Amino acid sequence: MYDHVPRRVRFIDLCDALAGKRAIEELLPPDVVDSLAGAPKPLVLADFAGRDSVAAAMAWLRGHEVATLIPVADVVPTRYGDWSVYDDNWVRMRDHVGRAFPGVRVTPWFCLEDVDFWRMLNARFLNELSRTFGFFTPCLGCHLHFYAMRAVLGEALGAKVLISGEKELHHGARRKANQTVEAVDAYLRFSKDHGIDHQFPIHHVRTEAEMADLLGDDWKEGDRQLRCVMSGNDAGTDGRPLFEPAQIKSYMDRFASPLAARIVELRRAGVDGARFSSAVEAYVRELLGAGAS
């Protein structure tokens, strides 16, 4: 279904490879394999999509040792647009890093995909989640599934650090649920529990001047990225958030984080198809009570 997506690595194949069934090199695009051959350490994973992810990498490089930067994107079923924008943004990342940090190797990008993971975390139980927590947005779990897959990738590649571009303020307003303090704290804890030092270097960036200092002033917010059909779903018609901080914390602690951890366990055990769906549904019934269906 997603074979049209360029440079795609299936998460379940990655888990199988880590279990010893296949070599990691068989899964990655050949140019990534070539770039990783003899790559200097430390290796660092970087979220890769648009401007914020590139800015986060630049901010982290200013104060920390990085020898090889590995940009990793994701397949999300609600995204649409021209995937070639990722090739263009990768060139921008490579050029920005090359000018400021010429000793850092930037591998070509690739993306991770597990749409069934996304579906079970973000779509299957949405009505039950709305009743239980008093709100729902797929954005919280969507980003968590990014980070859960990257934790396994980090183990496979020997990378201990993940850089993410979650930025609390957009256009001066707190808007996105997945970029709130409560969400970022949950992401950080999840990654730490799975062996990854998760860093959010631009979370507290407040002004466009700070972003321009990292990237120059020719890359504006929202430019050169894929779109999402769910964009803005966590805000009302007046633009205000449709959630409270305590709701996000409760949702992450009681549902999203434990379920994502369970899904990773199932994938690492090679569970797929109907067995996967049944196992996830059984666990959700434990988390939410017998009413989950």
Side-chain angles (χ1 to χ4, degrees), residues 144-166:
L144 179 60
H145 112 287
F146 297 165
Y147 306 139
M149 292 192 295
R150 281 171 177 70
V152 177
L153 177 66
E155 180 180 345
L157 295 178
K160 302 294 186 183
V161 176
L162 167 62
I163 304 164
S164 293
E166 307 284 9

Side-chain angles (χ1 to χ4, degrees), residues 115 121 130 183 198 248 260 289:
V115 170
L121 188 61
S130 295
H198 201 164
I248 291 179

Side-chain angles (χ1 to χ4, degrees), residues 137-275:
T137 170
C139 301
L140 290 164
C142 181
H143 283 243
L144 179 60
H145 112 287
F146 297 165
Y147 306 139
M149 292 192 295
R150 281 171 177 70
V152 177
L153 177 66
E155 180 180 345
L157 295 178
K160 302 294 186 183
V161 176
L162 167 62
I163 304 164
S164 293
E166 307 284 9
K167 185 155 66 74
E168 186 179 9
L169 300 186
H170 281 257
H171 302 294
R174 289 177 174 82
R175 184 168 57 87
K176 294 187 176 182
N178 56 280
Q179 296 176 326
T180 59
V181 170
E182 294 74 23
V184 167
D185 284 348
Y187 299 149
L188 189 155
R189 291 195 305 272
F190 183 96
S191 295
K192 183 178 180 181
D193 288 344
H194 291 79
I196 290 289
D197 179 12
H198 201 164
Q199 298 293 331
F200 301 88
I202 65 167
H203 189 234
H204 297 300
V205 164
R206 292 290 186 262
T207 67
E208 280 299 300
E210 293 173 274
M211 293 294 285
D213 180 54
L214 294 167
L215 297 177
D217 59 5
D218 63 338
W219 197 347
K220 304 303 181 184
E221 185 170 2
D223 287 349
R224 308 191 58 77
Q225 63 186 35
L226 295 182
R227 305 299 177 183
C228 179
V229 298
M230 301 301 296
S231 179
N233 76 92
D234 50 2
T237 54
D238 59 0
R240 296 180 181 179
L242 294 173
F243 50 80
E244 297 294 333
Q247 290 175 298
I248 291 179
K249 185 178 188 318
S250 179
Y251 166 79
M252 297 301 295
D253 291 350
R254 294 171 50 200
F255 180 80
S257 292
L259 182 56
R262 177 60 175 150
I263 288 175
V264 169
E265 290 176 0
L266 292 168
R267 286 310 201 204
R268 297 194 64 160
V271 179
D272 198 2
R275 288 176 58 230

